Amino acid sequence: MSESETPVPTSPEPEETSAADAADVAAPVEAPAEPAVADAPDAEAPAAAAPAPRPRPGRPGPTPGGAPSPAALAGRKPAAPLLPAAPSVTEYDAALLDEAKTFGAVTEDGTVTVQDGTQVRALGEAGQAQGIDPATALDPFARAYLDLVAFLDLTEKKLSTTGHTHNELNRLLENLRKNMKEPQVVGDIPALRARAHELREKAKAQIAELESARTAARQDAIARRTAFVESIEQLVATPPEQISWKSAGETMRQMVPTWKQMQSEDVNLDRPTEDALWKRLSAARSTFDRHRKQFFSQLDERHEEAAAVKEQLIARAEEMQGSTDWGPTVRAFKDLMAEWRAAPRGGRKKDDAQWARFKAAQDTFFSARNADLEASESEQRENLVVKEALLAEAEEIDPAKDLDKAKDALRSVQERWEAAGKVPRGDMRRIDDRLRSVERAVKDAEEAEWRRTDPRTKARVEGASSQLHSAIAGYEEDLEKARATGDPAKIAKAEAALEARREWLAVIERSARDLG
């Protein structure tokens, strides 16, 4: 959706007021109508007297047989409109009427006046009552006073409830102002004004509470909208390579619906604030679209480069897939696989297709190699059987009985061992160790025989034996001399030296016997 398609909220609309509220509080009415002058025995009706207005339902009417009002006598209505009073005419309290009349008077020229605080105020043309009894002339204005008292009672009752709107409270204040501006009534007007002032202050306090709540709600709405705008801006500020474009695209698609939902749920913001936030959103969306185009344009270029690199690797793999030079080719394929892993990533579909071709070449080579290995292993298992039999033959060789025959038998086993070929890798060390054991036994026997028959060794043994015999004779003489001295120390030393030479001689003579 373009910016022109996205509505920006207008200023707050006036709140609705129920019909019942308007009927109870807001509708000003006229002063009570009176019967025609013909019903009054003490007055004559002017020739041009206007008919009395028809009373509205539920409001006070004339008392049966009562005197006409000055307004009826003058053919006019009282000038100030009043709200309807709750009680009917039969409920007017006579004592209250009399009390209200004490604030009024009729002058000699028939003008009705009222004591309004410290001043006496004439009630204007509506208060002309020539030729009428003063008490009778004051009746409609006293009733109008009680109607005004009832209006204030009804207003106070209305203010004691909750849930008022700004418009309701403003209309109530306006009605208080109109009805209390020099009211055309007879009664304690300063008391009415004092009470009306209290009611106005109470209404203003409620308006202030509503304004405070509305301000708080507007601040919450601004904070919520601002947080949403900042979240979009933060998303747009994310480095392109770190963005999940699918998720981010869905977030941007829901941006306008989310904004509209906030408009419907929140209180209306002031136009400058709303416009500023929307401009930030619009700018973020434009930046996002630009970054996305740039990213995917660059991504296409990288994918093309990756595809070219992998095509080269595939070509090399396909060249090697038919090789039977197993060892070097296996190493070459391992190096090729490392290059594939290091190559840049391309588009998913292209990558998958190229990987399938690369793996097919790899699988072709390793399948052939595995088949060759399987055939080789079968042959090696047969060779293992042959070598197991040769080991059994070799382990029967006894070099102690006949060294020459043992050497010939071992040589024959070794020749057939080499001819048998390779065995499985897992068995190689085991059978090699067994053959080495036989070979060591034959070699040890051969070395012992050589030492025994070597002439030089015999000559050395005989010379050492002769020397030890001569030395022993000398040490025996030394022992006799030591004993002759009786010195224990010399005797012990001579005995130790003689004993050592005798032990050496025993070892040499044993070696000579072995050589013989």
Side-chain angles (χ1 to χ4, degrees):
M1 179 181 290
S2 66
E3 290 184 38
S4 60
E5 296 173 329
T6 305
V8 177
T10 59
S11 300
E13 296 294 335
E15 297 176 342
E16 296 295 333
T17 306
S18 65
D21 292 340
D24 289 343
V25 177
V29 298
E30 302 164 352
E34 299 296 335
V37 70
D39 294 335
D42 298 328
E44 294 182 1
R54 181 179 179 181
R56 294 176 61 180
R59 54 170 296 185
T63 304
S69 68
L73 297 176
R76 301 181 183 90
K77 301 176 183 178
L82 298 175
L83 291 181
S88 64
V89 66
T90 56
E91 294 175 340
Y92 281 123
D93 190 299
L96 294 178
L97 286 173
D98 291 341
E99 183 180 356
K101 291 178 186 179
T102 60
F103 291 87
V106 180
T107 63
E108 293 180 355
D109 61 358
T111 300
V112 179
T113 62
V114 63
Q115 185 70 35
D116 190 351
T118 58
Q119 65 174 341
V120 175
R121 177 167 56 83
L123 296 184
E125 295 181 359
Q128 296 300 320
Q130 295 179 350
I132 300 178
D133 179 61
T136 302
L138 294 175
D139 270 346
F141 295 97
R143 292 193 185 97
Y145 171 80
L146 295 183
D147 287 343
L148 197 54
V149 171
F151 158 68
L152 295 180
D153 290 341
L154 190 60
T155 300
E156 184 175 11
K157 181 179 179 181
K158 186 68 177 178
L159 288 175
S160 65
T161 61
T162 58
H164 302 303
T165 65
H166 283 77
N167 288 343
E168 289 174 347
L169 294 171
N170 285 330
R171 283 196 296 271
L172 188 146
L173 285 174
E174 179 62 15
N175 287 328
L176 281 172
R177 185 189 67 79
K178 289 180 179 180
N179 286 285
M180 297 308 300
K181 183 180 180 181
E182 294 188 356
Q184 301 297 298
V185 298
V186 171
D188 190 353
I189 294 176
L192 287 181
R193 287 200 178 100
R195 187 179 177 198
H197 175 73
E198 293 177 359
L199 295 176
R200 279 195 297 270
E201 293 302 315
K202 185 179 294 187
K204 289 178 181 178
Q206 293 188 14
I207 289 175
E209 291 178 1
L210 290 177
E211 286 295 336
S212 177
R214 176 176 290 181
T215 300
R218 183 173 289 110
Q219 292 301 320
D220 291 342
I222 292 174
R224 182 185 178 199
R225 302 272 192 96
T226 302
F228 174 68
V229 171
E230 289 174 349
S231 69
I232 296 297
E233 292 174 335
Q234 184 177 5
L235 173 62
V236 174
T238 304
E241 63 276 6
Q242 298 179 10
I243 290 181
S244 173
W245 289 101
K246 182 177 181 180
S247 174
E250 180 61 26
T251 299
M252 298 304 291
R253 279 190 293 273
Q254 294 300 320
M255 187 188 77
V256 172
T258 302
W259 183 262
K260 288 184 177 181
Q261 182 178 359
M262 288 181 174
Q263 286 178 321
S264 64
E265 293 175 351
D266 297 338
V267 298
N268 292 330
L269 307 185
D270 59 280
R271 177 61 63 86
T273 300
E274 181 117 13
D275 287 348
L277 290 174
W278 173 251
K279 287 180 180 178
R280 289 171 61 183
L281 271 184
S282 180
R285 180 173 58 183
S286 299
T287 303
F288 177 84
D289 291 340
R290 185 175 66 256
H291 287 177
R292 180 172 57 183
K293 290 178 182 178
Q294 293 174 352
F295 175 81
F296 283 103
S297 176
Q298 296 171 358
L299 185 64
D300 290 341
E301 294 178 1
R302 292 198 298 269
H303 286 177
E304 291 176 1
E305 294 175 0
V309 170
K310 290 181 178 178
E311 282 296 331
Q312 296 177 0
L313 297 177
I314 292 170
R316 290 165 56 188
E318 290 174 344
E319 288 177 1
M320 295 189 300
Q321 64 183 350
S323 173
T324 56
D325 192 4
W326 308 122
T329 308
V330 167
R331 290 190 292 274
F333 263 109
K334 287 183 178 179
D335 294 340
L336 206 60
M337 189 64 193
E339 291 184 51
W340 184 278
R341 292 193 181 99
R345 296 184 61 181
R348 181 180 294 276
K349 291 184 179 180
K350 185 69 174 179
D351 257 1
D352 290 346
Q354 289 184 312
W355 168 250
R357 291 169 56 198
F358 180 82
K359 190 173 186 300
Q362 199 177 41
D363 290 346
T364 298
F365 168 77
F366 282 101
S367 295
R369 173 181 174 271
N370 292 338
D372 182 76
L373 287 177
E374 186 176 352
S376 177
E377 287 178 358
S378 177
E379 181 182 350
Q380 289 175 3
R381 285 192 292 271
E382 294 177 0
N383 296 342
L384 178 62
V385 174
V386 174
K387 287 192 174 183
E388 290 279 3
L390 291 174
L391 280 175
E393 181 180 341
E395 288 170 346
E396 294 293 330
I397 296 174
D398 187 1
K401 293 182 178 180
D402 191 335
L403 180 59
D404 292 335
K405 287 184 178 180
K407 291 166 63 177
D408 291 341
L410 178 60
R411 190 177 301 111
S412 174
V413 169
Q414 289 173 331
E415 291 173 354
R416 286 176 288 165
W417 184 277
E418 293 298 328
K422 294 182 179 180
V423 299
R425 184 182 298 273
D427 298 299
M428 188 180 297
R429 183 172 181 178
R430 175 178 62 82
I431 62 174
D432 283 347
D433 287 346
R434 289 174 62 187
L435 181 62
R436 299 288 89 78
S437 179
V438 174
E439 291 174 343
R440 282 195 301 272
V442 173
K443 186 176 182 180
D444 290 345
E446 185 179 10
E447 290 177 352
E449 179 64 18
W450 180 83
R451 287 193 303 270
R452 187 180 68 80
T453 59
D454 186 6
R456 291 174 297 179
T457 304
K458 285 185 177 182
R460 287 196 298 270
V461 170
E462 290 175 356
S465 177
S466 176
Q467 290 176 1
L468 284 174
H469 278 291
S470 298
I472 289 172
Y475 280 110
E476 287 177 347
E477 290 179 1
D478 291 339
L479 178 61
E480 291 297 331
K481 291 178 181 180
R483 287 174 178 172
T485 62
D487 188 350
K490 290 183 177 180
I491 294 172
K493 182 177 180 181
E495 287 177 347
L498 178 61
E499 183 64 26
R501 271 60 181 182
R502 286 175 177 173
E503 290 179 358
W504 293 352
L505 179 60
V507 172
I508 291 174
E509 288 177 345
R510 188 165 52 251
S511 299
R513 286 194 300 273
D514 293 337
L515 293 175

